[in-house]
Amino acid sequence: MSDWYKLEPVEALHKLGSNQEQGLSEAEVNKRLAEGGNNELVEKQKNRWRMIWEQLTASMVLILIAAAVASAIVGDYKDSVAIMAIVVFIATLGFYQEYKAEKAISALKKMSVPTVKLRRDGRMSEVLANDIVPGDILLLEAGNVLPADGRIIESANLRVQEAALTGESLPVEKTVAKFDKDMPLADRRNMVYMGTMVTYGRGVAVLTETGMRTELGKIAHMIQNVEERQTPLQQKLDHVGKVVTLAALAIIAVVVTIGLIRGGLTEKNIELMLLTGISLVVAAVPEGLAAVVTITLALGAQRMLKRNALIRRLPAVETLGSVTVICSDKTGTLTENRMTVTALSLPGEKTVDLTQHVRHSGRLCRFDKMTSKLFDKSDATAILLAGGTLCNDAVLSLKEGKENDYRPVGDPTETAIVVAAAKTGLWKFDLEAVMPRVAEIPFDSARKRMTTFHKLPDSGKTVPEPLQSLVAWAEKNNATHIAFTKGAIDGLLQITHEVWVDGKIESIKKKWDKRLAKSNDEMAQNGMRVIGVAFRLFQKLPKPEEISHTEQKMTFVGMVGMIDPARYEVKDAVRICKTAGIRPVMITGDHPLTALSIAKNLGITDNDRVITGQELESMNVDDLQQHVDEVAVYARVSPEHKLKIVEALQKKGHIVAMTGDGVNDAPALKKADIGVAMGITGTEVAKEAAAMVLEDDNFATIVAAVEEGRVIYDSARRFIKYLMTCNSGALWMMLFGSIFVVSSNPGEQLLFLLPLQILWINLMGDGLAALALGIEKPEREVMKYPPYRPGESVFSRGIGRHAIWGGVVIGMVPFVLGTYLHLQSYAYATWQTMVFTTFIISRMCHAMAIRSGTQSVFSLGFFTNRAFIAVFLLTLACQLAFIYVGPLQKVFLTTALSLKELGVCLLLSTVIFWAVEIEKWLLRRKLL
């Protein structure tokens, strides 16, 4: 049952077979434990061997394994071992990614408290949290972490901090009363939930759900059952691998068939063509692509860590580069998770923007001076802040080991007022020294206010200058004590008879009742929580039995407006995101007005459209898809709603990033294409479920991470461009060579590249050169263009076109060279060595040219990427050794070239370089 909040306490107790005074008997507890199990979050057991098998059967991994086997058949065991090492690395990394879901469940279990206080068999007992059952009577007090879900049956100013579960930034005041209509989770104020914490007061609850049946348990279940999508690059690499493999196998089949037909089915020819075919498979299949991308992602993750973004899952690096929507929780992510007074509303005066007069960030130190300009405008400002501070249970405490650095302790609303007053120079301990508290009427939910009584200062005491008019007025009325009342405006106005206006008293009935109500509404519509302050003078302190009847005939002073303020750096981050074509979306459990106000302030939205949790409840994912592209603010949402929003966005084709810090964010963090958790304020659950953690909790860090992701994505596309072009070039050359170049000697095969030469080209080109390209400096203005479309082909934006014509150039130049020399009756060993040399150096010249997609190498600089220059020189040195060192000549079947022949090879190798430079020149002028 999930509607416990609709039942009266007596009905809930009856339904649960419990008694408020006696609780359950031990026999009944044992019976329920046997039937329902312990109060614990059950881990979903995973078959680890199956997880490993799934990693090993991924398409790109299967290609790697095939390449390793092919290398072993050829006899290149070193290459085979290296490829298998890559397989083990990638499979291990994937296994970790699957395993992290179990770790998220373990983090959820840590939130359960070890022992709790219960009423059993008519007496108070302290038992282990996992031994409690539905029907147990739970005793609550400040500091308790709730071990299960329960229905409140007794409350004395009970407040519970539920931000981690619902997103509500303020502690929720609990009530015993039932609710007749359907209520979202955040508004069920007569319920308490597992994992939340009591911040104030005391209470009693009857437990309604335990273990996996609690709201926290439902989240654990969702985390277990959410399936992660492949990242965009993983999907595209899988597609590239399949397409290229099929195309390569077709071409290789043609080459081998022609070779067998021409050379005959002799044992020697069959062995030669088999080795050639296998070598071409190794060369054509881009097995280096997955390895290079993985290593590049790891390097990108290291760079991100320096920018305070911890990557927990490597593919998340490139996913950031494709993100189209960032779904962000409000509390603690876009805002500071710290209630702050931002406005003071005084009768007869314009609302004071307190942010223009005091600094709200930084240390709270005693050297803060009185803000005279603020108080010069009105003494009512000082009375308002002083009254709100004196009628207040929050305190300012010195930080440990600090001499002049204070921190507020207490309820967030009350600490906000105390801090605001201190920032203006009105320190609570100074005020209490002048006007000590002598009596009080505590806050309760029925009155929605509290009142404190203070002795007015004797003539010998120094009164802060802004309060002197109030004290003088009190002396004029022979008052010895003053009562300050702080609370909700509607209730406060009912007990107010007068208003303090410009140092004078006016009747509230004159005109002020409607004006004050309107001011309250305006501040509330701006997303503020509004607290009013009033006072009453007494010629003598009321007797204890009279105290509770003194909240009447009050004089209204003003209103304090507070809000959980937006982080100062977030506005710029949102602007940059929008410039980069990324749409920020706020998803929060907070009030719609508050959410909309923050969203407009940050530039997330410019309209008033908000979808609430109740509206989401009536929508399915298909319905929601009709709205997700227009709505940027969602309020009063639950974890299920967040999942629904993310799923709707993904079905619309978006790549979704979800930022958050609470338990309630964990399922959506896991479901999203990339989950981003807060490192400082984030719960362990959120961190374990996320792919990336922001160590500084700074939304702006996401922008840096997105930029790095785009750099990585561009690098991956550069790898694909390089490998597809060069590998297709080898296939074109071998295909045309087998068709058009025929030996005059019957049975002789004239292969343009020999098996071992192909493997050497594959090792240098697909490995070292591609890695060197991975550390190329990012393109300029990487955050000025929109993200790659989710469905965009990896061959888009000119890569497919380049791979076709570039492959033809790289393949045809050595093919034409070899064909010409063959027709000129050059020795086969000589022209084949020249073809081999021209082809491998052409690949390196091509890599040099594509270091930038549009910028010329002459402006980029030839030597800016030292790693690439080192690989280029190493390749050239090795090639010269193969040509001129005797033992290596025998291994690679080469012959020494004359200087003229070597010069021709080097000159022809630059053809592709100049061709790419011309292509970039045309692109810069938008002619392509």
Side-chain angles (χ1 to χ4, degrees):
M1 179 176 178
S2 60
D3 294 341
W4 295 103
Y5 63 94
K6 293 182 179 180
L7 301 180
E8 293 285 1
V10 175
E11 294 177 300
L13 286 165
H14 177 73
K15 208 168 190 65
L16 289 161
S18 188
N19 180 283
Q20 182 173 352
E21 301 302 325
Q22 295 296 317
L24 299 175
S25 65
E26 287 298 329
E28 182 63 23
V29 168
N30 292 332
K31 178 184 175 183
R32 296 188 182 193
L33 279 172
E35 293 174 351
N38 289 93
N39 177 43
E40 57 187 8
L41 300 179
V42 180
E43 293 189 37
K44 183 179 179 181
Q45 296 298 319
K46 291 182 179 291
N47 186 323
R48 289 168 176 76
W49 291 110
R50 181 174 178 80
M51 291 163 59
I52 293 172
W53 174 253
E54 288 174 354
Q55 295 302 320
L56 292 174
T57 53
S59 59
M60 284 301 291
V61 172
L62 287 175
I63 291 172
L64 283 171
I65 293 173
V69 172
S71 296
I73 292 174
V74 171
D76 188 356
Y77 298 109
K78 290 183 179 179
D79 202 23
S80 179
V81 170
I83 294 172
M84 287 306 300
I86 293 170
V87 168
V88 172
F89 175 70
I90 292 176
T92 302
L93 192 63
F95 175 80
Y96 166 75
Q97 295 163 11
E98 294 288 330
Y99 190 70
K100 71 184 177 67
E102 292 185 28
K103 298 179 75 176
I105 300 300
S106 298
L108 279 166
K109 291 182 69 176
K110 292 176 185 177
M111 296 188 69
S112 300
V113 292
T115 60
V116 293
K117 292 180 181 179
L118 302 173
R119 193 176 288 151
R120 283 182 179 174
D121 286 324
R123 64 179 184 273
M124 195 274 284
S125 303
E126 196 165 302
V127 302
L128 291 174
N130 62 351
D131 289 336
I132 62 178
V133 296
D136 265 325
I137 304 300
L138 179 67
L139 307 180
L140 302 172
E141 58 187 22
N144 287 165
V145 176
L146 275 298
D149 294 356
R151 170 68 165 89
I152 300 291
I153 57 178
E154 185 180 315
S155 174
N157 301 323
L158 183 68
R159 299 180 203 169
V160 179
Q161 178 58 267
E162 297 179 344
L165 185 65
T166 67
E168 174 64 63
S169 57
L170 292 169
V172 178
E173 185 183 329
K174 294 299 179 178
T175 180
V176 175
K178 73 170 185 176
F179 296 98
D180 294 323
K181 60 180 182 179
D182 291 341
M183 305 290 286
L185 190 70
D187 291 336
R188 298 173 189 174
R189 296 188 296 109
N190 56 13
M191 299 290 294
V192 288
Y193 298 103
M194 185 184 199
T196 60
M197 186 177 73
V198 178
T199 62
Y200 190 83
R202 59 181 180 79
V204 179
V206 57
L207 298 185
T208 56
E209 306 289 355
T210 59
M212 294 298 286
R213 293 177 295 278
T214 63
E215 294 298 326
L216 197 63
K218 292 174 184 176
I219 294 174
H221 181 73
M222 285 188 286
I223 291 176
Q224 289 176 340
N225 289 283
V226 169
E227 293 185 5
E228 292 185 63
R229 301 199 304 175
Q230 281 188 313
T231 69
L233 192 57
Q234 286 174 326
Q235 295 170 5
K236 289 166 185 175
L237 288 181
D238 272 354
H239 177 70
V240 168
K242 292 171 184 175
V243 171
V244 170
T245 300
L246 290 174
L249 289 175
I251 294 174
I252 291 165
V254 172
V255 172
V256 173
T257 300
I258 292 174
L260 290 174
I261 292 173
R262 285 186 177 168
L265 297 178
T266 63
E267 181 179 345
K268 182 178 180 182
N269 190 53
I270 291 174
E271 180 183 358
L272 175 63
M273 295 314 300
L274 178 63
L275 288 176
T276 302
I278 292 173
S279 299
L280 282 172
V281 169
V282 175
V285 174
E287 82 280 357
L289 187 59
V292 169
V293 168
T294 299
I295 293 169
T296 305
L297 292 177
L299 294 174
Q302 292 177 11
R303 292 195 298 270
M304 283 190 178
L305 185 58
K306 295 177 181 178
R307 303 175 81 168
N308 295 316
L310 173 64
I311 299 298
R312 294 176 45 80
R313 186 163 60 90
L314 282 184
V317 178
E318 56 88 7
T319 307
L320 279 165
S322 302
V323 163
T324 59
V325 177
I326 298 177
C327 295
S328 174
D329 189 35
K330 177 185 73 68
T331 306
T333 308
L334 297 170
T335 65
E336 297 180 4
N337 197 17
R338 175 177 56 85
M339 293 303 291
T340 303
V341 175
T342 57
L344 305 175
S345 180
L346 304 169
E349 300 180 25
K350 290 183 178 180
T351 299
V352 177
D353 183 358
L354 202 60
T355 61
Q356 302 298 316
H357 297 276
V358 299
R359 53 183 181 82
H360 284 288
S361 59
R363 298 165 60 197
L364 186 60
C365 302
R366 271 296 262 156
F367 56 70
D368 284 326
K369 303 297 183 183
M370 194 75 72
T371 311
S372 57
K373 289 184 180 180
L374 177 63
F375 296 143
D376 283 347
K377 295 180 179 180
S378 173
D379 56 358
T381 306
I383 298 173
L384 175 60
L385 288 172
T389 300
L390 288 167
C391 184
N392 199 309
D393 289 330
V395 297
L396 294 174
S397 173
L398 272 173
K399 291 183 180 179
E400 188 176 351
K402 305 288 184 179
E403 293 184 2
N404 191 28
D405 197 353
Y406 293 82
R407 64 182 179 88
V409 179
D411 180 86
T413 300
E414 296 201 317
T415 58
I417 297 173
V418 170
V419 169
K423 291 286 187 181
T424 65
L426 294 171
W427 289 77
K428 184 173 182 180
F429 32 74
D430 290 342
L431 294 173
E432 288 182 331
V434 176
M435 289 184 277
R437 184 188 299 192
V438 293
E440 65 182 279
I441 306 175
F443 176 90
D444 69 54
S445 57
R447 294 165 32 251
K448 296 183 181 179
R449 59 180 177 266
M450 70 178 288
T451 300
T452 57
F453 296 79
H454 303 265
K455 188 177 184 303
L456 286 165
D458 298 327
S459 57
K461 289 189 176 179
T462 302
V463 179
E465 185 178 345
L467 298 177
Q468 288 176 2
S469 62
L470 175 64
V471 173
W473 188 72
E475 290 177 351
K476 183 179 179 181
N477 287 273
N478 299 316
T480 60
H481 292 79
I482 185 170
F484 286 107
T485 300
K486 170 174 78 16
I489 301 300
D490 52 355
L492 198 58
L493 291 179
Q494 292 174 8
I495 61 172
T496 297
H497 283 203
E498 298 172 325
V499 179
W500 181 277
V501 184
D502 296 329
K504 300 176 183 178
I505 299 297
E506 292 187 15
S507 171
I508 194 169
K509 296 297 183 183
K510 185 177 179 181
K511 58 182 178 181
W512 292 111
D513 48 355
K514 292 183 179 178
R515 285 192 182 184
L516 294 174
K518 183 181 179 183
S519 296
N520 175 46
D521 291 342
E522 289 174 351
M523 294 176 76
Q525 286 172 3
N526 286 326
M528 295 184 188
R529 183 173 192 188
V530 186
I531 300 294
V533 176
F535 70 87
R536 181 182 175 185
L537 298 175
F538 295 88
Q539 293 183 348
K540 63 177 182 178
L541 183 67
K543 296 177 181 179
E545 62 271 18
E546 299 172 343
I547 287 286
S548 60
H549 303 291
T550 57
E551 288 183 334
Q552 54 183 308
K553 299 180 181 179
M554 307 297 292
T555 300
F556 189 85
V557 180
M559 290 174 275
V560 176
M562 61 187 71
I563 199 168
D564 181 11
R567 293 176 177 269
Y568 76 92
E569 70 277 2
V570 170
K571 196 166 188 175
D572 275 345
V574 169
R575 178 183 54 77
I576 293 171
C577 281
K578 287 192 168 185
T579 302
I582 301 167
R583 190 166 69 94
V585 172
M586 179 190 291
I587 302 178
T588 179
D590 219 333
H591 193 280
L593 286 176
T594 304
L596 190 60
S597 174
I598 293 290
K600 284 186 174 181
N601 180 42
L602 292 174
I604 290 175
T605 185
D606 56 4
N607 58 55
D608 293 332
R609 292 202 63 184
V610 180
I611 291 182
T612 64
Q614 285 185 314
E615 293 175 274
L616 286 169
E617 200 68 48
S618 63
M619 294 183 185
N620 58 33
V621 174
D622 291 335
D623 295 332
L624 186 55
Q625 283 187 65
Q626 309 304 315
H627 304 281
V628 289
D629 283 334
E630 289 78 38
V631 178
V633 181
Y634 299 83
R636 288 291 193 229
V637 298
S638 69
E640 293 90 345
H641 298 149
K642 291 188 175 186
L643 278 175
K644 189 182 288 186
I645 294 166
V646 171
E647 188 176 357
L649 285 164
Q650 289 176 335
K651 283 194 171 184
K652 289 284 283 187
H654 290 289
I655 302 298
V656 183
M658 168 68 188
T659 68
D661 56 2
V663 175
N664 63 318
D665 295 323
L669 286 172
K670 186 170 173 61
K671 176 65 178 175
D673 296 279
I674 174 169
V676 185
M678 301 297 112
I680 298 173
T681 59
T683 60
E684 287 303 313
V685 181
K687 294 176 188 176
E688 292 293 336
M692 185 174 85
V693 178
L694 302 182
E695 293 192 326
D696 58 357
D697 282 16
N698 192 336
F699 186 87
T701 303
I702 297 175
V703 178
V706 168
E707 180 181 358
E708 192 64 51
R710 290 192 173 191
V711 170
I712 296 300
Y713 200 89
D714 285 346
S715 294
R717 287 172 58 85
R718 194 182 300 121
F719 302 150
I720 295 169
K721 187 177 186 178
Y722 170 71
L723 293 176
M724 294 300 100
T725 303
C726 294
N727 290 0
S728 65
L731 292 175
W732 289 128
M733 181 176 62
M734 294 295 288
L735 176 63
F736 284 106
S738 64
I739 295 173
F740 296 109
V741 178
V742 182
S743 173
S744 57
N745 300 321
E748 184 184 14
Q749 291 284 8
L750 300 180
L751 295 175
F752 275 61
L753 290 175
L754 301 175
L756 200 57
Q757 294 173 354
I758 294 172
L759 291 176
W760 162 248
I761 292 169
N762 181 65
L763 176 64
M764 291 302 294
D766 290 9
L768 294 178
L771 271 176
L773 285 174
I775 58 175
E776 188 64 46
K777 290 182 179 180
E779 298 273 6
R780 292 180 293 192
E781 299 184 338
V782 71
M783 291 298 285
K784 293 293 178 69
Y785 60 79
Y788 291 101
R789 295 188 305 274
E792 189 171 344
S793 168
V794 75
F795 295 110
S796 65
R797 306 194 188 190
I799 287 185
R801 178 189 65 216
H802 180 94
I804 293 172
W805 77 257
V808 170
V809 172
I810 287 179
M812 288 297 98
V813 168
F815 166 72
V816 170
L817 172 65
T819 303
Y820 174 77
L821 294 176
H822 172 65
L823 293 175
Q824 295 296 316
S825 301
Y826 263 68
Y828 170 64
T830 300
W831 69 255
Q832 198 281 323
T833 300
M834 293 180 70
V835 166
F836 175 35
T837 303
T838 302
F839 183 74
I840 194 168
I841 302 302
S842 290
R843 288 174 64 111
M844 300 308 296
C845 288
H846 175 253
M848 171 71 80
I850 65 166
R851 284 168 52 205
S852 172
T854 56
Q855 191 177 359
S856 170
V857 176
F858 294 96
S859 61
L860 182 69
F862 281 91
F863 303 102
T864 53
N865 187 338
R866 294 182 180 180
F868 179 80
I869 294 301
V871 171
F872 192 107
L873 294 176
L874 175 64
T875 303
L876 184 60
C878 290
Q879 189 64 25
L880 292 175
F882 298 157
I883 296 172
Y884 296 110
V885 176
L888 292 177
Q889 287 179 335
K890 293 179 181 179
V891 172
F892 287 93
L893 302 179
T894 58
T895 187
L897 300 176
S898 67
L899 288 178
K900 178 182 177 181
E901 292 166 340
L902 181 61
V904 169
C905 293
L906 295 178
L907 182 63
L908 290 176
S909 297
T910 66
V911 170
I912 185 63
F913 174 85
W914 298 111
V916 174
E917 282 294 302
I918 292 171
E919 179 195 36
K920 290 191 291 185
W921 182 85
L922 293 171
L923 285 172
R924 287 195 299 272
R925 284 153 182 77
K926 300 185 190 269
L927 298 175
L928 274 181

